[in-house]
Amino acid sequence: MATTAAGEGRDDKSGDVILSVRDVSVAFGEQVVLDKLSLDVYRGEILGFVGASGSGKSVLLRTVLGLNRKQGGTIKLFGVDTDNVTEAQRIGIDMRLGMLFQHGALFSGLSVIENVQVPMREYLDLPRKLMDELARLKIELVGLPANAANKFPSQLSGGMIKRAALARALALDPAIVFLDEPTSGLDPIGAAEFDELVAKLRDTMGLTVYMVTHDLDSLFSVCDRVAVLGQKKVLVEGSISYMLTVEEPWVKSYFRGKRARQIDPATLTSNASAGANR
């Protein structure tokens, strides 16, 4: 765990760690964004990753995915140090990762079914008919109607774009899915439905979910654990129940401030000891 405070939120250190970040530092020029940050993500959990705007949440996400260069530390995925892998191992790891970008990042010139097939075309050698069948299964899996398959992104609502992007993230049956602000831009009903979908997929597919979000409803409704980024490190991590007892100023303001959910004070007392559990 990152610090003593970070370790307070979970006393079960025996879980299967699918992603391990240790002492990772990232800087752009002289600007240090992450400074010896450490974090574990456990198999089968939904981790909510929060922090102030500009604190480096997306930087860490991109660094884990190999899109940013780090200046120090180690990142292990599935127990493998990503700095010491062969090209074949790197490809094998990449095939077990799914990514949903904040605004979907669908290719505007491709239909939904073609967007979903992009990872298949990159990593697999499959007949067109089989790819069509697999893509349609993923489209159905995320709750899109069958006729959405041949539509283009410009013909989709914001919620449908998110679901299509999620179908693409699931194209190769990944072990872990990274979600960057998955409910941003959605109305409350659409956001709640998307949260329910994520939880259902975790349960049915055995996914691990790493969710960067500002959505308190998502944190309360589907996240097993929350990690808070601040001061270039993970300040604290644990269950929502534990977060509601933390006195660190930013965490307290975020979870118990004026715009936070209204929580029965009795809940805080009864759940204070539950912070160590998922």
Side-chain angles (χ1 to χ4, degrees):
M1 295 297 177
T3 64
T4 302
E8 294 291 339
R10 179 180 176 122
D11 61 6
D12 174 16
K13 305 295 194 302
S14 62
D16 186 5
V17 176
I18 196 169
L19 167 62
S20 175
V21 178
R22 282 292 175 275
D23 296 324
V24 164
S25 297
V26 178
F28 300 100
E30 296 183 356
Q31 181 184 5
V32 178
V33 180
L34 304 176
D35 185 17
K36 295 184 178 180
L37 179 149
S38 295
L39 176 70
D40 285 334
V41 180
Y42 296 85
R43 187 179 301 277
E45 76 172 345
I46 300 177
L47 174 76
F49 196 61
V50 303
S53 297
S55 60
K57 300 184 298 298
S58 294
V59 171
L60 177 59
L61 179 58
R62 291 176 61 84
T63 304
V64 168
L65 295 174
L67 302 176
N68 284 338
R69 179 176 297 178
K70 55 184 173 62
Q71 279 64 53
T74 59
I75 295 173
K76 291 184 178 181
L77 281 160
F78 315 109
V80 178
D81 186 341
T82 56
D83 285 336
N84 299 302
V85 293
T86 64
E87 182 63 20
Q89 288 175 316
R90 179 75 254 182
I91 291 173
I93 290 173
D94 288 346
M95 291 177 65
R96 300 178 71 188
L97 311 179
M99 177 68 204
L100 187 156
F101 296 94
Q102 182 173 352
H103 302 294
L106 296 177
F107 295 102
S108 60
L110 300 180
S111 65
V112 169
I113 193 169
E114 290 169 335
N115 266 283
V116 175
Q117 290 172 345
V118 167
M120 300 179 193
R121 294 180 184 279
E122 183 174 357
Y123 291 106
L124 305 175
D125 183 15
L126 299 175
R128 174 62 182 270
K129 183 179 180 180
L130 180 55
M131 281 200 299
D132 286 347
E133 291 176 357
L134 291 173
R136 290 185 187 278
L137 283 174
K138 302 304 180 185
I139 290 168
E140 180 182 0
L141 188 64
V142 300
L144 285 174
N147 64 5
N150 295 318
K151 292 184 177 181
F152 288 86
S154 61
Q155 298 173 298
L156 304 178
S157 67
M160 293 177 74
I161 287 174
K162 297 275 191 179
R163 288 175 184 259
L166 181 58
R168 184 178 63 186
L170 298 174
L172 302 180
D173 294 327
I176 181 170
V177 175
F178 297 89
L179 309 179
D180 190 5
E181 299 286 358
T183 59
S184 66
L186 301 182
D187 62 71
I189 295 175
E193 290 176 345
F194 197 91
D195 286 338
E196 291 173 5
L197 173 62
V198 170
K200 181 179 179 180
L201 291 173
R202 186 274 300 271
D203 294 340
T204 57
M205 298 180 66
L207 289 173
T208 301
V209 180
Y210 178 113
M211 180 190 299
V212 174
T213 185
H214 285 113
D215 191 333
L216 280 168
D217 287 332
S218 295
L219 295 171
F220 275 80
S221 62
V222 298
C223 291
D224 301 300
R225 201 162 54 93
V226 178
V228 179
L229 178 61
Q231 301 173 26
K232 306 173 185 179
K233 294 180 172 67
V234 173
L235 286 177
V236 63
E237 59 188 278
S239 66
I240 281 290
S241 298
Y242 176 66
M243 290 296 150
L244 295 172
T245 69
V246 173
E247 295 299 323
E248 195 281 332
W250 191 90
V251 177
K252 181 178 180 180
S253 177
Y254 189 82
F255 288 98
R256 291 149 60 191
K258 293 180 179 179
R259 301 195 68 179
R261 280 192 171 195
Q262 296 301 309
I263 303 296
D264 183 350
T267 304
L268 295 180
T269 302
S270 63
N271 288 339
S273 61
N277 301 317
R278 283 179 21 182

